[in-house]
Amino acid sequence: MSRILIDVKLRRDDFSLSCELDMPGKGVMAILGPSGSGKTTLLRLIAGLEKADQGSIRVNGHRWLDTANSECLSPQKRKVGMVFQDYALFDHLTVAQNIGYGLPRKQRKQSVKKWVGRFHLESLEHRYPNELSGGQRQRVALARALAPEPDILLLDEPFSAVDVPLREKLRIQLQEIVSTLDQPVMMVTHDLEEARYLADHIAVMVNGQVCRHGFTNKVFNDPGSYEVAKILGWRNFIQVKSICPDSVAGDWGELVLDREISPNTDWLAIRPYHIRIANESQDGIDAEVLQVREMGALREMECRLNDGTSLVMQSPWNDPLLAPGSRIRLNLPLQHVRALFEGTAVNIVAKKKTMVIPISGIVYNSARNGAILPLEKHPSLTQERISNLTES
Amino acid sequence: MIESVNTGALDLAPVWLTLKLSAVTVAVLLVLSLPLAWWLAFTRSKFKVPVEAVTALPLVLPPTVLGFYLLVFLGPNGPAGQFWNSIAGHPLAFSFTGLVIASCLYSLPFVVQPLQAAFESLDRKAVEAAWTLGANTLRTFFTIIIPQARRGFLIAIVLGFAHTMGEFGVVLMVGGNIPDETQVVSIAIYEQVEMLNFQAAEQLSTGLLVFSFLVLVMVYSINRQWGRGLKA
């Protein structure tokens, strides 16, 4: 069975981790999350360097942990290849000795030669780690981890020990390497670009829990919750106060929808490059231009909505320039608007939204206490909107 | 004249005895200190502080105090002394074995503390990396931990050796001054001076001085060369 199944729980004094993951046993999976969210701990749990209180870990059919049956393989027996954050190379051993460390004595020489060749380290075999550049150290660490042919390769923040200018080069290099691997790769990172560039799948972790995981593009495009969206680099959020089947509204105004959205929706999100300035025939939200920033090929414009929410939009540099203070209407193309719920997981969010159910057009269903109330008592509906609803 | 009587034949036995005592003491101490230093470096036990304090006691106690208690403990009427007497047929005090025990206690902090410091500054990730590469505890210890902590080991060996060579008070209390059995260089020098045999005292002193200096020079030069491989 070519899958990686993880279901572990761990509790420490000031931290708890509870994590369920089911992912394909091939390709690259990135674990994203803010620092302190438990990404590295999860990786260490998989490697066996940290002991879970309960749970199970299976990697491509091999059972590494099963607390129900008191099974827990030591790191030595798990066949993991781990590349540590600062590579943890053995400083007192040469490059060749480092790569050969995990290999049986008999096949050491031959195998080291193979990996040295594969990672273009031929001229460096007899050097010590402190005589290598950052990129070379990374290659040695990768070769050392891969030489014993592990069942899984774990990378802990593979680029954090490298200067920014070098990162891009190394990312390309690492991509070339991992794309040829038979083993699944799991990497921990807080760098969005890195995850997007390298990973087929991503899992987003917050406070010790995996909040969302799936194909990289899918998760990036539809983060599901406000918290995850923030981690994935979404910048524009509009708070939703009431939902009708055909529209959502807040203190910023109203947005007419082309489809139904979840009654759990608390926020709408949109990427800066999807926002347009509405023309006269289009729907739009009133806004005021706050600041214009030229960023080379792009121009970034920060706008303020009526409720004070700030939205950032990006447009090509040669679009007409608007002065700060101008009043505009922003068009949010519906196919690019994402509905998000507050918090990180659906089950922890009570349905607190006031749902407008225009049964008779004069009452609404308050989800707070389930009461049916006259529309006039609705917390955010304008008089104009109420009369519109009553008419329809 | 007294001086002319002894000048010709300088007795080298105390020198050999001192070297032997230092070597045996360091060897025994390394074996004993390794687990102790390891425990002190990584334990979270509430006993860590008291144990650390006890380990460091020989640093502050006058050697005569340590020697006195050891004499009571190892002497013919002491518990260890009686036990030893029943199996070996002679008391521990005033014997080479008793001297080794005393030296081990006396030099304990000089071996434990550098080892503890070396273990505390180990790169844990390198150890974990070795584990993920399949190395068991023993292999990790010999191929990763010892090489990483080699400076600590070197300092522990040198300090333990040198400190044992230079001990006087404890030896005098526990070992006395028995030629070939407990008469080490420092005692022999003291005796020669008491006998007003300054020339012999001077020869022994000079020998000790030169030897100590050479050992230290050798150690520091090795340490320097090893150090190069470690600096990032």
Side-chain angles (χ1 to χ4, degrees):
Chain A
M1 185 182 60
S2 185
R3 286 202 88 74
I4 299 169
L5 301 166
I6 296 165
D7 175 11
V8 284
K9 285 192 173 60
L10 167 122
R11 182 168 275 282
R12 295 281 180 270
D13 303 337
D14 51 350
F15 175 76
S16 73
L17 181 140
S18 166
C19 193
E20 268 181 64
L21 271 178
D22 173 358
M23 54 202 183
K26 207 169 170 359
V28 182
M29 149 79 90
I31 304 170
L32 264 171
S35 49
S37 58
K39 312 182 293 281
T40 299
T41 308
L42 178 63
L43 217 60
R44 291 173 59 82
L45 279 165
I46 297 170
L49 298 171
E50 208 82 46
K51 215 174 166 208
D53 297 334
Q54 71 180 88
S56 62
I57 296 173
R58 278 157 200 256
V59 174
N60 290 347
H62 304 286
R63 191 153 61 181
W64 287 355
L65 176 79
D66 188 357
T67 50
N69 293 316
S70 317
E71 273 183 72
C72 180
L73 288 192
S74 65
Q76 285 93 338
K77 292 188 178 146
R78 290 197 183 194
K79 291 195 85 179
V80 288
M82 179 132 179
V83 175
F84 289 81
Q85 201 168 354
D86 49 6
Y87 310 136
L89 293 174
F90 306 135
D91 283 338
H92 59 289
L93 301 179
T94 62
V95 167
Q97 287 168 327
N98 263 282
I99 297 173
Y101 191 86
L103 295 167
R105 209 178 292 266
K106 274 186 190 166
Q107 64 184 76
R108 198 171 288 168
K109 211 170 166 189
Q110 210 179 355
S111 207
V112 167
K113 207 175 158 196
K114 178 180 119 187
W115 287 98
V116 161
R118 188 158 168 195
F119 284 78
H120 313 296
L121 294 162
E122 287 92 347
S123 53
L124 309 170
E125 267 174 282
H126 302 293
R127 293 225 194 142
Y128 286 92
N130 57 15
E131 298 165 331
L132 304 177
S133 70
Q136 290 165 342
R137 289 166 69 86
Q138 193 190 48
R139 293 212 301 270
V140 175
L142 273 166
R144 183 181 72 175
L146 287 167
E149 308 202 336
D151 288 337
I152 187 170
L153 178 67
L154 305 174
L155 307 172
D156 189 3
E157 303 264 7
F159 302 106
S160 65
V162 205
D163 302 336
V164 177
L166 189 61
R167 273 190 200 182
E168 204 163 335
K169 205 177 136 199
L170 289 187
R171 206 185 284 155
I172 296 170
Q173 186 186 300
L174 184 64
Q175 211 268 339
E176 281 168 8
I177 292 167
V178 294
S179 63
T180 61
L181 293 179
D182 300 323
Q183 296 100 329
V185 179
M186 210 161 157
M187 60 182 270
V188 154
T189 178
H190 59 252
D191 188 321
L192 297 174
E193 273 183 62
E194 223 169 272
R196 221 169 173 162
Y197 186 84
L198 288 165
D200 308 309
H201 287 79
I202 63 169
V204 181
M205 273 189 93
V206 185
N207 294 330
Q209 290 192 314
V210 173
C211 303
R212 199 166 180 83
H213 72 103
F215 287 107
T216 304
N217 276 339
K218 193 166 181 301
V219 174
F220 265 100
N221 280 332
D222 189 9
S225 73
Y226 179 62
E227 202 59 43
V228 172
K230 276 202 292 188
I231 291 166
L232 294 181
W234 290 72
R235 293 159 72 188
N236 293 326
F237 300 100
I238 308 171
Q239 195 166 19
V240 172
K241 290 208 164 156
S242 67
I243 303 168
C244 304
D246 62 339
S247 72
V248 288
D251 297 338
W252 42 271
E254 187 194 18
L255 186 68
V256 178
L257 301 171
D258 57 353
R259 60 185 182 237
E260 268 194 54
I261 62 167
S262 157
N264 285 316
T265 304
D266 297 284
W267 297 88
L268 297 180
I270 185 163
R271 293 283 194 188
Y273 42 84
H274 286 139
I275 301 180
R276 295 278 168 267
I277 293 175
N279 60 34
E280 279 167 20
S281 64
Q282 283 174 320
D283 265 348
I285 301 171
D286 289 328
E288 181 193 349
V289 178
L290 274 188
Q291 221 182 29
V292 180
R293 294 185 282 265
E294 298 293 347
M295 307 182 70
L298 280 180
R299 176 182 295 143
E300 210 169 75
M301 203 155 71
E302 197 178 328
C303 308
R304 186 166 56 198
L305 305 186
N306 286 340
D307 66 344
T309 305
S310 148
L311 286 192
V312 175
M313 66 172 283
Q314 285 171 348
S315 53
W317 63 276
N318 49 3
D319 266 12
L321 180 62
L322 288 165
S326 322
R327 301 289 311 181
I328 49 170
R329 281 189 321 121
L330 298 176
N331 173 246
L332 314 183
L334 293 174
Q335 71 271 30
H336 297 306
V337 175
R338 298 288 172 265
L340 310 172
F341 53 84
E342 185 79 56
T344 53
V346 191
N347 54 1
I348 60 164
V349 182
K351 283 189 183 177
K352 59 178 187 218
K353 195 69 63 269
T354 30
M355 273 273 288
V356 179
I357 305 175
I359 318 163
S360 66
I362 50 165
V363 292
Y364 76 98
N365 178 354
S366 164
R368 201 162 276 137
N369 50 18
I372 305 286
L373 300 170
L375 276 187
E376 282 72 26
K377 295 218 168 158
H378 192 281
S380 60
L381 286 190
T382 56
Q383 198 52 51
E384 189 191 358
R385 174 81 182 133
I386 293 173
S387 43
N388 274 345
L389 280 168
T390 2
E391 276 161 31
S392 66
Chain B
M1 271 171 72
I2 301 169
E3 277 175 40
S4 59
V5 175
N6 289 301
T7 39
L10 176 68
D11 189 6
L12 285 179
V15 177
W16 297 122
L17 188 73
T18 308
L19 293 178
K20 188 173 133 194
L21 176 69
S22 302
V24 174
T25 303
V26 166
V28 173
L29 267 182
L30 273 183
V31 175
L32 295 179
S33 304
L34 258 178
L36 180 60
W38 187 265
W39 183 81
L40 283 173
F42 298 114
T43 186
R44 286 179 193 160
S45 158
K46 57 185 173 183
F47 295 113
K48 177 181 172 169
V49 171
V51 172
E52 254 180 333
V54 169
T55 313
L57 264 183
L59 286 177
V60 289
L61 276 183
T64 41
V65 173
L66 190 65
F68 169 73
Y69 282 115
L70 278 167
L71 189 59
V72 170
F73 186 70
L74 303 176
N77 299 322
Q82 277 180 350
F83 172 73
W84 188 256
N85 208 0
S86 68
I87 55 166
H90 61 89
L92 263 179
F94 310 113
S95 73
F96 183 74
T97 317
L99 212 52
V100 170
I101 295 175
S103 303
C104 282
L105 278 172
Y106 182 57
S107 299
L108 185 70
F110 292 88
V111 178
V112 170
Q113 287 183 357
L115 286 182
Q116 184 186 341
F119 291 151
E120 277 167 355
S121 62
L122 272 183
D123 179 8
R124 246 198 108 69
K125 282 191 181 157
V127 174
E128 291 177 340
W131 291 346
T132 62
L133 291 166
N136 59 22
T137 316
L138 212 61
R139 180 163 179 233
T140 308
F141 185 77
F142 283 109
T143 57
I144 306 298
I145 294 173
I146 289 194
Q148 268 200 11
R150 58 194 171 184
R151 285 213 228 191
F153 276 94
L154 190 72
I155 292 167
I157 291 169
V158 171
L159 286 183
F161 197 91
H163 192 241
T164 311
M165 275 186 74
E167 69 180 309
F168 179 76
V170 179
V171 176
L172 197 64
M173 295 287 280
V174 178
N177 185 9
I178 306 165
D180 289 339
E181 181 73 23
T182 61
Q183 191 191 57
V184 294
V185 173
S186 57
I187 304 275
I189 293 171
Y190 182 71
E191 194 189 51
Q192 299 290 6
V193 172
E194 277 210 310
M195 290 163 62
L196 299 179
N197 190 356
F198 290 115
Q199 201 179 352
E202 193 200 326
Q203 283 174 338
L204 282 173
S205 301
T206 313
L208 207 57
L209 183 73
V210 172
F211 176 79
S212 307
F213 178 72
L214 287 180
V215 167
L216 288 176
V217 165
M218 188 184 76
V219 160
Y220 284 124
S221 63
I222 292 173
N223 199 12
R224 240 175 93 94
Q225 283 192 336
W226 281 4
R228 261 180 232 147
L230 287 174
K231 275 170 216 146

